[in-house]
Amino acid sequence: MRIVMATQNRNKVREFAEILGGRVELVPLPSGLPKAPETGETFLENARQKALFYAAYVEDPVLADDSGLVVPALGGEPGVHSARYAGEGADDGANNDKLVHALRSRGLRQAEAWFACALVLARKDRVMLEVESRVDGFVYDEPRGEHGFGYDPLFSPQGALRRFAEMSAAEKHQFSHRARAVRELLARIPEMT
Ligand code: IMP
């Protein structure tokens, strides 16, 4: 099966390819397409919006994702704004700094948090499958580790002593929201009509 991956984020494409192994052929979006709107208030709404937007341009099914970090003690921030928490075009370092400051300004050294990943598979004008998965854990007020991307240096999944950024890719995928969502989606592909 060939699936067009509707993201420009190279870290995410790499992780999807690692998790899928050879089971699905992932191809990038053709170049030159406009940027899909991302105006939803939930991860699922954003993933649906992106999948349907790009599915109108290509023959193969399109897989779109939306993911992010939710910290209930910060009112759910960064949430759907995870990629641009510290402003449009902010890099991972700036987003992590902002999260650390947000925690410290509330007197928190750590807080419960989860990563969520919504996946939507669409073909032409139709949603074929959608799933949302999460990994619960904690965020901390100082970064650790060099691997991964995004908020990985600040997040430890429940039951692990280390941050995602201190784990190898294979270890992270044992816990991650993205790996769980992909497994669920693959299990449901036979449901597609
Ligand atoms: P999206 O491209 O709109 O889905 O934004 C996702 C953002 O959420 C990323 O840029 C990261 O900041 C954050 N994020 C999502 N998944 C992960 C992860 O596995 N590790 C660390 N940060 C993540």
Side-chain angles (χ1 to χ4, degrees):
M1 180 173 192
R2 209 161 88 126
I3 289 180
V4 179
M5 186 72 230
T7 180
Q8 315 290 352
N9 183 327
R10 277 194 264 148
N11 290 306
K12 292 203 297 192
V13 176
R14 174 180 41 78
E15 288 202 353
F16 278 114
E18 284 165 5
I19 297 162
L20 283 164
R23 280 172 289 187
V24 169
E25 186 193 352
L26 273 191
V27 296
L29 280 171
S31 53
L33 294 184
K35 195 167 158 30
E38 204 173 320
T39 55
E41 286 177 10
T42 65
F43 298 114
L44 212 42
E45 275 173 26
N46 278 335
R48 209 180 282 138
Q49 210 173 25
K50 280 185 269 187
L52 287 170
F53 180 85
Y54 288 119
Y57 289 96
V58 296
E59 276 302 316
D60 291 312
V62 171
L63 179 64
D65 83 306
D66 196 48
S67 56
L69 178 71
V70 178
V71 185
L74 302 179
E77 286 185 5
V80 290
H81 308 295
S82 290
R84 50 186 189 280
Y85 187 37
E88 210 57 55
D91 63 13
D92 290 344
N95 287 333
N96 280 311
D97 283 349
K98 180 163 179 182
L99 185 65
V100 165
H101 283 112
L103 290 170
R104 288 189 185 160
S105 69
R106 286 163 177 81
L108 299 169
R109 306 286 324 264
Q110 67 178 75
E112 285 181 10
W114 67 81
F115 274 120
C117 176
L119 293 180
V120 173
L121 190 65
R123 184 162 205 178
K124 298 293 181 188
D125 60 353
R126 205 161 75 86
V127 167
M128 304 170 85
L129 282 177
E130 49 184 45
V131 300
E132 183 167 343
S133 298
R134 70 189 234 188
V135 53
D136 290 294
F138 299 90
V139 283
Y140 297 86
D141 74 338
E142 29 82 44
R144 281 195 209 156
E146 306 292 328
H147 302 294
F149 71 102
Y151 300 94
D152 281 347
L154 298 178
F155 181 86
S156 289
Q158 241 168 35
L161 295 172
R162 286 173 302 146
R163 309 287 166 80
F164 267 171
E166 294 178 290
M167 298 181 183
S168 67
E171 279 176 285
K172 177 179 171 185
H173 299 328
Q174 285 175 12
F175 297 97
S176 93
H177 49 312
R178 194 162 294 105
R180 286 180 185 181
V182 167
R183 283 197 292 266
E184 203 180 318
L185 190 90
L186 285 175
R188 289 183 50 196
I189 279 182
E191 284 174 29
M192 289 187 335
T193 50

